[in-house]
């Protein structure tokens, strides 16, 4: 085993000039040095393109790709194609890594050869307010879990804050869905987990995620997302369920199906908790649509169990008239 493997870091950039200096400084501050940085300029118009070129001129380990604006998924896919590392990490141009992020994730994977993914805790930063989010929803700390438990308990399904094995990505031709306008991170991470064996979790806070106006988290808090975007967060679960590896046993499929319905419900609970109770009447139609969606797409979960779980969730959150 190579004790000093190359790690490729892919950062898509679109009009990120105001954040890039701090972001890139956090990459340079890493205590693990064998890295290549792939910066994909996605048609920036704010001077980011020139900044990236000047930044890369004196840094041979930095590669800059310029393209017309085609979206974050396409930019990441370009990065995947040219990445030469044994391991791969994604990062956003407005976020910052802790200096020990890459070394912590790599050490965790090297200590668990059976693991295909390492994930760490994150810190949400919104102005002067910060919130640390544990890596596992049940509060457990450093440990390794098989894929079914990983999918059930992992808190963060964003692409960043993790370290992936490049050979698994290439073996299964994994990439970001460029047709999705929302939920593309979850889609990629879940597909990766489907083909993985284990995930190792690191409880240390490894990166700082910046929440600013225009980010998806802020839109959820403000109640700004339209119905179509809400539904897109759930619709890809069905597609994923249909793409399970053919070698999975019946037990594998049943367990994974139970995980899917749990995460679907968890997503609804999160959205409901972040919206005010005096939301416009259109929201009631959305909830009815979502209830119908869950009941008709829980392919691998026994219908009575699905109905009981969903009905209990709706009752708990005060929507008894919807069931």
């Amino acid at each position: 085993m190579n004790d000093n493997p190359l790690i490729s870091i892919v950062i898509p950039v679109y009009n990120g000039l105001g954040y890039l200096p701090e972001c890139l400084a956090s990459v340079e501050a890493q205590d693990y040095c064998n890295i290549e940085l792939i910066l994909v300029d996605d048609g920036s118009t704010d001077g980011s393109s020139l900044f990236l070129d000047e930044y890369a001129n004196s840094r041979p380990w930095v590669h800059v790709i310029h393209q017309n604006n085609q979206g974050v998924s396409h930019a990441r896919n370009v990065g995947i194609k040219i990445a030469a590392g044994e391991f791969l990490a994604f990062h956003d141009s407005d976020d910052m890594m802790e200096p020990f992020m890459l070394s912590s994730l790599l050490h965790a994977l090297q200590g668990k050869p059976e693991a295909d993914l390492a994930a760490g805790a994150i810190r949400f930063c919104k102005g002067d307010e910060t919130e640390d989010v544990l890596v596992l929803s049940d509060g457990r700390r450093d440990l390794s879990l098989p894929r079914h438990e990983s999918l059930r308990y992992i808190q963060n399904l964003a692409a960043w804050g993790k370290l992936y094995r490049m050979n698994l990505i290439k073996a299964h031709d994994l990439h970001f869905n460029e047709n999705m306008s929302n939920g593309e991170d979850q889609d990629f991470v879940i597909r990766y987990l489907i083909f993985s064996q284990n995930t190792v979790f690191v409880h240390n806070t490894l990166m700082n995620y910046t929440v600013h106006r225009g980010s998806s988290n802020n839109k959820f808090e403000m109640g700004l997302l339209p119905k179509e975007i809400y539904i897109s967060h759930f619709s890809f679960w069905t597609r994923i369920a249909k793409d399970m590896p053919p070698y999975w046993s019946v037990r594998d499929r049943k367990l994974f199906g139970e995980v899917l319905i749990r995460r679907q419900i968890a997503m609804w609970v999160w959205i409901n908790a972040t919206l005010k109770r005096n939301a416009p009447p259109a929201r009631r139609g959305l909830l009815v649509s979502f209830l119908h969606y869950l009941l008709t797409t829980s392919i691998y979960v026994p219908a009575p169990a699905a109905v009981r779980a969903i009905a209990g969730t709706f009752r708990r959150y005060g929507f008894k008239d919807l069931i």
Side-chain angles (χ1 to χ4, degrees):
M1 180 178 66
N2 184 0
D3 292 331
N4 190 43
L6 179 66
I7 296 177
S8 299
I9 307 166
V10 175
I11 303 181
V13 178
Y14 178 71
N15 291 348
L17 188 60
Y19 303 97
L20 278 170
E22 284 187 290
C23 169
L24 298 178
S26 77
V27 176
E28 289 204 48
Q30 292 299 297
D31 57 13
Y32 185 81
C33 299
N34 191 18
I35 63 176
E36 70 166 355
L37 178 59
I38 302 170
L39 299 164
V40 184
D41 171 32
D42 190 33
S44 296
T45 59
D46 68 340
S48 293
S49 302
L50 179 60
F51 177 89
L52 294 178
D53 287 337
E54 293 176 347
Y55 179 81
N57 277 342
S58 59
R59 297 169 175 86
W61 50 278
V62 177
H63 313 288
V64 177
I65 308 297
H66 296 286
Q67 64 176 34
N68 294 328
N69 181 242
Q70 299 181 65
V72 63
S73 291
H74 186 273
R76 285 172 172 167
N77 288 337
V78 168
I80 291 173
K81 288 179 183 178
I82 69 171
E86 183 179 341
F87 296 93
L88 178 66
F90 298 102
H91 197 61
D92 286 350
S93 62
D94 56 351
D95 300 331
M96 288 165 287
M97 302 178 177
E98 292 293 340
F100 46 83
M101 174 179 153
L102 294 179
S103 60
S104 297
L105 294 174
L106 179 61
H107 178 74
L109 277 179
Q110 290 178 327
K112 298 283 185 180
E114 73 280 6
D116 295 307
L117 179 69
I122 61 172
R123 177 176 295 119
F124 283 89
C125 306
K126 185 177 181 182
D128 295 330
E129 300 177 7
T130 63
E131 178 185 0
D132 288 350
V133 178
L134 293 176
V135 67
L136 290 169
S137 60
D138 61 355
R140 284 180 289 178
R141 301 223 166 198
D142 295 327
L143 77 164
S144 178
L145 294 177
R147 61 172 168 259
H148 302 299
E149 287 195 72
S150 299
L151 280 164
R152 180 176 179 181
Y153 291 111
I154 188 171
Q155 286 268 66
N156 170 31
L157 284 173
W160 33 258
K162 299 173 179 64
L163 194 62
Y164 306 81
R165 292 190 186 274
M166 199 64 191
N167 59 359
L168 191 147
I169 290 175
K170 290 182 176 179
H172 300 287
D173 191 24
L174 296 175
H175 56 273
F176 288 85
N177 187 334
E178 298 180 20
N179 295 318
M180 296 182 69
S181 59
N182 216 279
E184 65 276 359
D185 279 37
Q186 296 177 59
D187 182 80
F188 178 85
V189 173
I190 292 169
R191 290 183 190 280
Y192 185 92
L193 286 170
I194 285 175
F195 291 105
S196 69
Q197 294 302 313
N198 290 75
T199 300
V200 60
F201 295 95
V202 179
H203 79 276
N204 292 333
T205 298
L206 301 183
M207 66 161 288
N208 299 283
Y209 177 83
T210 304
V211 180
H212 52 82
R213 195 168 191 86
S215 70
S216 58
N217 283 284
N218 201 48
K219 287 178 182 177
F220 271 116
E221 291 178 6
M222 302 288 290
L224 299 177
L225 293 183
K227 175 178 177 179
E228 290 73 18
I229 297 182
Y230 282 116
I231 297 301
S232 75
H233 272 281
F234 312 113
S235 62
F236 70 86
W237 291 96
T238 304
R239 297 198 305 272
I240 289 172
K242 293 177 179 178
D243 288 341
M244 291 184 193
Y247 55 80
W248 274 21
S249 66
V250 173
R251 179 178 177 274
D252 280 338
R253 292 171 180 271
K254 182 177 183 298
L255 286 172
F256 187 69
E258 292 172 356
V259 168
L260 289 185
I261 191 66
R262 286 178 185 273
R263 294 209 72 102
Q264 287 172 326
I265 293 174
M267 177 66 79
W268 182 86
V269 170
W270 176 64
I271 290 175
N272 183 69
T274 57
L275 289 175
K276 296 179 180 179
R277 286 299 179 94
N278 61 351
R283 176 165 165 254
R284 188 157 298 272
L286 166 64
L287 296 178
V288 173
S289 298
F290 179 48
L291 176 61
H292 174 75
Y293 171 82
L294 286 176
L295 293 176
T296 56
T297 60
S298 302
I299 304 171
Y300 299 103
V301 182
V307 172
R308 284 196 301 272
I310 297 166
T313 299
F314 274 78
R315 276 197 290 275
R316 190 177 308 117
Y317 286 88
F319 293 93
K320 297 179 182 180
D321 56 320
L322 292 179
I323 56 177

